[in-house]
Amino acid sequence: MTDDTRDDREERDDDCEDAGAGGLEDDLLEEELRQAAAVLDPVPEALRQVAVDAYALYDLDARVAELTFDSLTDALPVRGAENVPRMLTFQAGELSVDVEVGEDGLMGQVLPPRPARVEVLSGPGPVTVLTVDELGRFTGQAPPAGPFALRLRTGGEVVVTEWLRA
């Protein structure tokens, strides 16, 4: 290595030390590199799907609530009824969750009633958190778009439903 090359490298190292860790310049550089990588070397869709599927294992110790009733397959059709909400019932041990998915959103009840937090999972989209009232009821404003699942947190217990389409 020549003296000029060594001097240039030492000067760059000094500049990096002066910038400090986590500075604004570092954040801007990181964002530029992310954008360049997204354009020049995008993540293959198959790999992205594997990552999403792996994230689903994040609640591996959660109990899985079995779908015991689905109005699409278990109910008798009613003549003349249009835009009928989909009724779902999930069971995990003694815990039961009744859910109605319609144009107005999502509505449900945890039985037996207990303090809980319901999270509506929608793949890589953001998680919507719903609060359960003292009677075990919860509502969500918008129906889930695409596949969704529910994660219930009741005390130290976590229960996850299987994934369904609205």
Side-chain angles (χ1 to χ4, degrees):
M1 182 170 7
T2 66
D3 288 337
D4 290 339
T5 308
R6 187 176 302 126
D7 290 342
D8 289 343
R9 178 175 285 166
E10 288 172 1
E11 188 175 309
R12 278 194 308 256
D13 290 345
D14 290 342
D15 289 344
C16 289
E17 289 172 8
D18 292 342
L24 179 62
E25 293 172 0
D26 291 344
D27 293 342
L28 292 173
L29 176 61
E30 181 180 347
E31 182 58 30
E32 285 181 31
L33 290 172
R34 285 183 194 277
Q35 290 175 1
V39 171
L40 300 174
D41 189 21
V43 176
E45 189 55 38
L47 181 59
R48 183 182 311 273
Q49 186 59 46
V50 167
V52 169
D53 292 343
Y55 183 74
L57 297 176
Y58 136 84
D59 274 336
L60 195 56
D61 60 339
R63 291 193 319 165
V64 177
E66 179 185 355
L67 179 64
T68 58
F69 177 81
D70 185 347
S71 62
L72 286 180
T73 58
D74 300 330
L76 295 173
V78 176
R79 185 175 17 176
E82 295 179 16
N83 298 327
V84 178
R86 185 174 183 185
M87 307 296 289
L88 305 163
T89 300
F90 298 95
Q91 190 80 34
E94 296 178 8
L95 181 72
S96 176
V97 183
D98 293 324
V99 181
E100 178 180 311
V101 182
E103 291 178 349
D104 297 333
L106 185 112
M107 185 169 36
Q109 186 172 18
V110 177
L111 296 170
R114 60 180 73 179
R117 184 175 116 170
V118 176
E119 299 170 354
V120 181
L121 310 174
S122 56
V127 173
T128 304
V129 178
L130 308 175
T131 307
V132 177
D133 68 11
E134 63 276 355
L135 297 176
R137 301 174 299 190
F138 58 91
T139 59
Q141 298 298 323
F148 75 98
L150 301 176
R151 181 186 306 135
L152 287 82
R153 297 184 186 276
T154 61
E157 183 179 33
V158 178
V159 176
V160 179
T161 67
E162 58 186 88
W163 287 82
L164 298 167
R165 289 199 176 270

